[in-house]
Amino acid sequence: MQHLLDLATYPIDRPDSDECKALIERCRADLAAHGMYNLDGFLKPEVAQAAADDLKSTMASAGFTHSRMHNIYFKKDLPDLAPDHPALTRFQTVNHTLCADQLGASPVTEIYAWPPLVDFLAVTMGKRALFAMDDPLARINVMAYHEGETLNWHFDRSEFTTTLLLQAPEAGGDFEYRTDLRTADNPNYEGVARLLRNEDPDLRAITPTPGALNVFRGINTPHRVTRIRGNRERMIAVFSYYDKPGVTFSEEERIGFYGRSA
């Protein structure tokens, strides 16, 4: 795996080493403080670009274009909110997706199933174990965003999201987030409304670089990717793991996300 990953800086293949233990503690601290950690250059940048280049023709010919209007909850309505409440403001997301069965022998697929990575992610997330998703489409997705497109404000359904940036755009594509805007006991609808009006002073942003591994607790932290500018698309791999084995999407979910069920 040394031909793909910077294991000198991020020695996750040596979990008992002092260097890896220090890395784990840093990632745990970042998750606790910010709801995310970001490891720049985890995937070697030249490998990231080569992987993006290899997938571009497949993305152009067979990628599924997903365009939808949605609110931050990805729900039609909420029973305790009026339909015109500003927390239910709607906006558009557009992206282009390749599923796991379209990726072939890519570094992305090799890294996803590598046991030291899965174990490292579990430890940093405070999980006893993580398991690769069984779904033949959803376990790994590569998403592209072209000029003018964006992933708009949302909360994630799963607790954590793990991504690898393969290619950055010429401009735009910043990752904006607001840590712990809501809790399980407090939906904080007024705080959500302030965020959507661009009035939240605790809004933060990072500009990921190609090869960056990002782990994000998105279930209570809303986030978006700002609009892409320029001719170079943003390409990112999304890894799906769960704390129990055997997880798959339903046929309805696959059709909704990918336009096909198998």
Side-chain angles (χ1 to χ4, degrees):
M1 198 59 69
Q2 290 185 352
H3 63 296
L4 302 178
L5 305 179
D6 182 359
L7 296 177
T9 303
Y10 306 112
I12 65 172
D13 58 332
R14 297 183 285 117
D16 295 327
S17 68
D18 291 341
E19 293 84 358
C20 188
K21 290 176 181 177
L23 175 63
I24 289 168
E25 289 308 309
R26 173 163 69 87
C27 292
R28 284 174 166 172
D30 285 349
L31 271 178
H34 309 296
M36 66 179 295
Y37 65 82
N38 196 69
L39 305 182
D40 286 324
F42 178 81
L43 177 64
K44 294 179 178 179
E46 65 274 16
V47 176
Q49 188 61 61
D53 291 342
D54 286 345
L55 293 172
K56 285 176 183 176
S57 62
T58 307
M59 183 70 78
S61 62
F64 176 66
T65 298
H66 191 180
S67 176
R68 66 187 296 186
M69 295 295 296
H70 62 90
N71 57 44
I72 198 169
Y73 306 101
F74 282 123
K75 294 181 179 180
K76 186 176 180 180
D77 52 41
L78 293 178
D80 47 348
L81 283 185
D84 60 350
H85 192 284
L88 294 176
T89 299
R90 289 166 59 82
F91 19 66
Q92 187 178 42
T93 281
V94 181
N95 58 41
H96 313 272
T97 303
L98 291 177
C99 298
D101 64 343
Q102 297 173 293
L103 300 180
S106 168
V108 172
T109 59
E110 186 175 352
I111 293 164
Y112 171 74
W114 189 45
L117 174 61
V118 181
D119 292 344
F120 172 77
L121 294 173
V123 171
T124 59
M125 294 176 188
K127 305 291 185 182
R128 294 183 63 182
L130 284 179
F131 300 89
M133 196 180 189
D134 273 2
D135 195 292
L137 304 187
R139 55 195 278 121
I140 313 167
N141 290 167
V142 172
M143 297 183 176
Y145 301 84
H146 301 155
E147 183 173 22
E149 297 174 347
T150 180
L151 173 62
N152 232 312
W153 284 115
H154 64 286
F155 291 101
D156 288 341
R157 295 188 304 169
S158 57
E159 183 179 2
F160 290 100
T161 299
T162 302
T163 65
L164 268 177
L165 186 67
L166 303 181
Q167 178 175 280
E170 294 172 7
D174 295 335
F175 185 79
E176 294 188 339
Y177 63 100
R178 204 296 194 173
T179 303
D180 291 335
L181 184 60
R182 68 178 183 181
T183 68
D185 300 321
N186 179 14
N188 191 15
Y189 294 132
E190 296 309 313
V192 171
R194 283 194 299 274
L195 175 74
L196 300 183
R197 291 195 300 263
N198 297 314
E199 296 173 357
D200 192 325
D202 294 320
L203 176 67
R204 298 290 181 267
I206 63 170
T207 304
T209 57
L213 175 75
N214 184 276
V215 174
F216 184 73
R217 182 185 283 113
I219 195 166
N220 289 327
T221 296
H223 49 287
R224 70 174 176 179
V225 175
T226 61
R227 198 170 302 279
I228 305 304
R229 303 195 305 275
N231 294 324
R232 187 171 64 240
E233 66 265 43
R234 183 183 196 262
M235 293 186 70
I236 192 164
V238 181
F239 293 163
S240 292
Y241 303 98
Y242 289 84
D243 54 9
K244 61 181 179 181
V247 174
T248 65
F249 278 169
S250 68
E251 181 174 327
E252 182 181 5
E253 287 174 318
R254 289 194 198 107
I255 291 173
F257 284 117
Y258 311 124
R260 59 191 174 101
S261 62

